Amino acid sequence: RGVTLDLFDGKLSSTVSYYDIKLTNVLRTDAEHTAQYAQLQDGTQLSRGIEAEVIANPAKGLNVIAGFSYNDSKYTQADADVIGRRPGTAASPYTANFYASYRFPETAVKGLGFGFGGNYASDNKIINGVSQGVFIIPSYTIFNATAFYDQKKYRINFAVNNLANKEYWVGYTTLNPQMLRQLVLSLTYKF
């Protein structure tokens, strides 16, 4: 279920949605046959959450995008090791993003623009059980910036990803290191 708004002649639009999903037939460990790694397909998982996005164009050349999500997920029928716990595949409960860019309007530097934004993810339990314990990937906030020159036949873009050179990880039952600061120069030719 959701609501979409479009205001001020398209200068502000937003979408907010809520979900309440019950998964059935989720695989779970067969407690009577653990030595054979047997599984039953009768588990259930409940996920409830909200997602929101706002897109704004408050002035000519200025574009702002922001988003937020919250997800409460847990096993409702499972083996005793994980029942009532958040699945390791459920990702971070809270995430957010923001990006703003400005492109100079009809001037001598038409096509020149700049952008800045970032992403946030809260702590993520990638292992979450009684027998194995809990392993948490820490929360992170990453910022990125770009400068570009966009013309009819070509585009030059210079981006700096992970401005603060922060170590961070993502994962869904795994631990995957992400790139430290990156400097990226690209040239696009348009046919």
Side-chain angles (χ1 to χ4, degrees):
R1 294 188 162 93
V3 174
T4 299
L5 298 173
D6 190 10
L7 305 169
F8 310 113
D9 293 325
K11 291 184 178 181
L12 177 66
S13 61
S14 178
T15 302
V16 178
S17 59
Y18 169 80
Y19 57 89
D20 187 343
I21 301 168
K22 182 178 181 181
L23 297 176
T24 58
N25 298 321
V26 175
L27 288 173
R28 67 181 185 93
T29 303
D30 182 351
E32 294 180 19
H33 301 95
T34 55
Q36 292 86 13
Y37 301 103
Q39 292 184 313
L40 300 173
Q41 193 170 354
D42 66 351
T44 57
Q45 179 181 332
L46 183 62
S47 294
R48 292 181 175 140
I50 186 169
E51 295 179 354
E53 180 181 59
V54 175
I55 300 172
N57 301 292
K60 188 171 185 175
L62 180 60
N63 187 22
V64 179
I65 300 170
F68 170 81
S69 70
Y70 169 71
N71 173 273
D72 178 22
S73 185
K74 63 184 172 186
Y75 289 113
T76 51
Q77 180 177 324
D79 56 287
D81 194 54
V82 295
I83 193 158
R85 292 176 178 251
R86 184 177 187 81
T89 56
S92 301
Y94 295 94
T95 60
N97 62 71
F98 170 81
Y99 184 76
S101 66
Y102 181 74
R103 179 187 305 229
F104 288 96
E106 310 293 325
T107 64
V109 290
K110 179 183 176 186
L112 179 64
F114 302 93
F116 178 79
N119 298 303
Y120 166 79
S122 63
D123 291 348
N124 181 8
K125 296 177 181 177
I126 61 169
I127 297 175
N128 188 15
V130 175
S131 62
Q132 294 183 336
V134 177
F135 185 86
I136 298 173
I137 296 177
S139 66
Y140 64 85
T141 303
I142 301 301
F143 295 105
N144 308 300
T146 186
F148 57 87
Y149 187 62
D150 197 7
Q151 294 296 303
K152 186 176 182 177
K153 287 287 190 180
Y154 65 91
R155 177 183 171 104
I156 301 170
N157 190 72
F158 177 68
V160 181
N161 299 325
N162 193 355
L163 278 167
N165 204 33
K166 181 179 176 111
E167 284 188 352
Y168 71 106
W169 297 263
V170 299
Y172 308 95
T173 71
T174 60
L175 184 61
N176 305 307
Q178 299 301 292
M179 294 293 290
L180 294 173
R181 183 182 301 122
Q182 287 181 297
L183 307 176
V184 181
L185 178 63
S186 62
L187 173 62
T188 304
Y189 183 76
K190 305 170 191 176
F191 292 96

